[in-house]
Amino acid sequence: MNVAGRPRGLAAINNSGSSARGGAVDVDMYSDIPSFEISLDEFEEYALARLKVLRKIEELKTRNTPHEAFRSALSQTLKKNLPTPKIDTASHFILRAAYCRSEDLRRWFLAQECKLFSFRLEQCRNIRDFMKRNDIDLEMVDKAEKERVRENLMSVPGAPSPMEFSATEYYRVPFVEALRLISNRECYLERGFAYIPLAKIITIVEAKFRSALSKSLVLAGNNSNNANIDEHTRIGPLLKSMNSQYTGPSHLANFQNGEALTAANVDASVRSMPLCMSQLHAGLKRDHKLKHLGRLQFGLFLKGAGMTMEEHTMFFQREFTKIMTGEQFNKQYSYSIRHMHGKEGKRASYTPYNCMKIVMGSPPGGGEHHGCPYKHYDDENLSALLGKLHVGSVIEREAILKLKRDGNAQLACAKHFEVMHPGALGVESVSLEGVGNHPNAWFTASRKYYEAKEGGGNNDKTKMEVVKQEE
């Protein structure tokens, strides 16, 4: 795949894509590196499109979304972001280059890509044709061999009925390629080989895809040619920052009366703030000041929650002037607030920090309160904090801490939301889109949840009943 200066749009990719089907995206093993050209703008556009899909997969898995709802949501996301085989192929190889740089990145990319592959493989109408096109050569069990082990094959749970047995194709594969089926006792094992019906051969194909992709990621990560990519003035920075790119909304929406945060209602809204922001609020109330990075993180969050520049200034001034004069506050801090709201400097309208920016940012030092508690706090302090805030039960807190220990800060935050908002998935007015990916999404979803639960805003008996049933 070559990157060149070419017009934007789907027509910029020529017809040499890897799939023969025009329009619908076929399941792909991504074994052949594409040779078509795309522009630098498309390079970034397609990568971010696939990133939205992979993050959606992670989000749906985290919420234990039911199978049918998972399929529906993922189908819509794929249709919107990866509409053609060529965009699909290009985006896969771009992200493969971006996510090969560390073990954590490789593990995350592999998990999401394998889930996407499995989803598409389930939709494949002709698995035999797919295996043939991708040179997946499995040994088919002949009639004589099948009759010899007939009783053993029929004894496997989920085996075909006696009427269907003769028409069922079986394949003989090395047991190391069928460990998942063996562990679930879904196949017959003899002399180091597993006998698998065609209906379950998908598991073997998935294992081959996982193995091939894992090896290619490791090779790419160790390849000295990556140094040449890094030297490219445009591609290198794009690849290096790809995993920290935010793909959701900016959270700078217009708020109706009563919805926006103000200096008067911000303290009462702390219960709906994610842990990172409630800690900043607590630090501000305790110390009556925030250092630079804390003011940026918390201030932009407040802006995203609808707080105007005037209210923002009033709120900070109310706290800061408990340890300094109003003149000192105006001289040292008012300018930065106006700058945040696009009234000073280059007059840019800055957007709130997303979770990835916070997680990947500088950890807090002495007297600082910024950052992500699930990333930057140690286990002991985080456990004590969750207990102090009465976050769920001991078992639920341990589940959150386990996600944190496994390096899944954003999943731990999403689990925190789930624990503190039981039944939120069934509340019509609550959108969980972005929860665990953006503090303002967490805040908005929490406020909508409490409105439905307590009868505020648009009172809807159905929504109230759903929440009560879940509780």
Side-chain angles (χ1 to χ4, degrees):
M1 181 170 60
N2 301 316
V3 179
R6 300 190 60 182
R8 298 190 60 146
L10 304 184
I13 296 182
N14 66 25
N15 293 324
S16 60
S18 63
S19 177
R21 288 172 28 167
V25 177
D26 202 354
V27 61
D28 196 343
M29 293 287 286
Y30 305 108
S31 54
D32 298 322
I33 298 175
S35 59
F36 47 76
E37 281 191 356
I38 59 175
S39 71
L40 279 168
D41 286 337
E42 290 164 339
F43 185 91
E44 182 175 16
E45 179 186 338
Y46 298 159
L48 292 177
R50 191 177 197 88
L51 201 52
K52 290 179 183 178
V53 173
L54 299 187
R55 287 177 176 172
K56 185 66 174 181
I57 290 173
E58 180 185 42
E59 177 189 327
L60 293 171
K61 289 192 300 182
T62 303
R63 294 178 184 161
N64 296 317
T65 307
H67 184 65
E68 285 303 316
F70 184 102
R71 288 182 57 185
S72 176
L74 184 53
S75 293
Q76 291 177 17
T77 302
L78 284 169
K79 185 177 180 180
K80 179 180 179 180
N81 294 288
L82 302 177
T84 71
K86 295 162 193 174
I87 295 177
D88 176 69
T89 302
S91 63
H92 170 85
F93 281 95
I94 295 169
L95 290 192
R96 187 188 287 195
Y99 278 79
C100 71
R101 295 178 292 109
S102 72
E103 180 61 31
D104 287 343
L105 292 177
R106 289 194 291 268
R107 187 185 304 114
W108 183 87
F109 181 71
L110 182 64
Q112 315 319 321
E113 283 287 341
C114 286
K115 187 64 178 178
L116 176 58
F117 180 81
S118 300
F119 171 79
R120 284 175 164 169
L121 197 60
E122 289 178 0
Q123 320 302 316
C124 186
R125 296 178 181 178
N126 194 330
I127 190 67
R128 296 187 198 88
D129 181 57
F130 171 79
M131 291 193 296
K132 183 178 179 180
R133 283 189 285 111
N134 289 277
D135 298 321
I136 301 176
D137 189 18
L138 301 179
E139 179 187 351
M140 184 182 292
V141 178
D142 59 34
K143 291 183 179 180
E145 177 74 359
K146 191 167 74 168
E147 284 300 321
R148 183 183 69 80
V149 294
R150 178 187 180 101
E151 290 187 10
N152 294 314
L153 296 178
M154 292 291 291
S155 66
V156 174
S161 66
M163 296 291 292
E164 298 171 335
F165 179 79
S166 59
T168 301
E169 293 180 7
Y170 277 86
Y171 291 84
R172 187 170 176 262
V173 302
F175 80 95
V176 292
E177 296 181 12
L179 295 179
R180 188 170 129 195
L181 292 175
I182 293 170
S183 65
N184 294 332
R185 300 186 178 184
E186 295 182 49
C187 64
Y188 170 60
L189 188 64
E190 181 181 285
R191 298 179 182 179
F193 288 91
Y195 289 72
I196 303 170
L198 179 63
K200 295 181 180 177
I201 211 67
I202 287 178
T203 303
I204 307 303
V205 178
E206 290 173 356
K208 287 183 177 293
F209 175 79
R210 175 181 286 275
S211 176
L213 181 55
S214 179
K215 289 177 182 177
S216 71
L217 286 168
V218 173
L219 287 173
N222 295 332
N223 196 329
S224 60
N225 289 335
N226 283 337
N228 296 329
I229 293 177
D230 293 341
E231 291 171 3
H232 195 294
T233 56
R234 290 284 299 274
I235 295 179
L238 280 175
L239 293 178
K240 284 184 176 180
S241 64
M242 190 61 66
N243 65 293
S244 61
Q245 292 286 338
Y246 178 59
T247 53
S250 66
H251 293 282
L252 282 178
N254 293 322
F255 290 84
Q256 299 177 2
N257 293 335
E259 290 185 344
L261 276 188
T262 65
N265 68 16
V266 63
D267 291 344
S269 300
V270 172
R271 67 172 181 175
S272 288
M273 293 182 186
L275 193 58
C276 58
M277 298 305 167
S278 65
Q279 284 301 98
L280 280 163
H281 180 271
L284 175 61
K285 302 295 283 189
R286 181 174 60 251
D287 301 339
H288 308 299
K289 66 177 181 179
L290 288 174
K291 292 192 176 182
H292 176 66
L293 294 179
R295 294 198 306 274
L296 279 177
Q297 182 177 322
F298 194 40
L300 289 173
F301 166 79
L302 296 175
K303 177 185 176 184
M307 185 173 282
T308 64
M309 183 183 72
E310 293 76 19
E311 292 288 338
H312 187 170
T313 303
M314 189 186 305
F315 173 52
F316 272 34
Q317 186 176 34
R318 187 175 68 200
E319 292 299 328
F320 280 54
T321 52
K322 291 178 181 178
I323 59 170
M324 65 180 68
T325 65
E327 183 179 352
Q328 287 176 311
F329 174 82
N330 289 329
K331 184 176 180 180
Q332 297 178 37
Y333 301 106
S334 292
Y335 177 89
S336 63
I337 295 175
R338 295 196 302 272
H339 191 274
M340 256 185 253
H341 287 264
K343 303 301 182 182
E344 297 285 358
K346 63 180 181 179
R347 299 185 181 276
S349 182
Y350 296 97
T351 58
Y353 287 0
N354 60 72
C355 290
M356 187 60 69
K357 185 175 180 67
I358 296 171
V359 168
M360 302 298 289
S362 301
E368 294 183 311
H369 305 287
H370 68 272
C372 171
Y374 293 112
K375 172 67 175 181
H376 300 127
Y377 286 19
D378 60 39
D379 291 357
E380 183 178 351
N381 286 333
L382 181 59
S383 178
L385 176 61
L386 295 177
K388 179 182 177 182
L389 297 176
H390 306 291
V391 176
S393 64
V394 173
I395 294 175
E396 289 170 328
R397 290 198 293 272
E398 180 55 34
I400 295 172
L401 288 167
K402 183 179 185 306
L403 289 169
K404 185 265 183 189
R405 287 193 291 268
D406 291 342
N408 298 315
Q410 292 173 246
L411 299 185
C413 186
K415 182 66 176 178
H416 181 174
F417 183 93
E418 178 187 323
V419 168
M420 297 302 290
H421 304 81
L425 188 62
V427 183
E428 183 182 348
S429 61
V430 176
S431 171
L432 301 183
E433 185 78 26
V435 172
N437 289 322
H438 203 295
N440 287 86
W442 210 103
F443 180 72
T444 300
S446 179
R447 292 186 83 185
K448 292 291 186 183
Y449 173 85
Y450 286 118
E451 282 180 11
K453 182 178 180 181
E454 297 167 0
N458 297 323
N459 191 12
D460 188 328
K461 293 182 179 179
T462 303
K463 291 185 285 186
M464 287 288 294
E465 289 172 0
V466 171
V467 175
K468 290 177 179 177
Q469 288 172 4
E470 293 291 338
E471 290 178 333

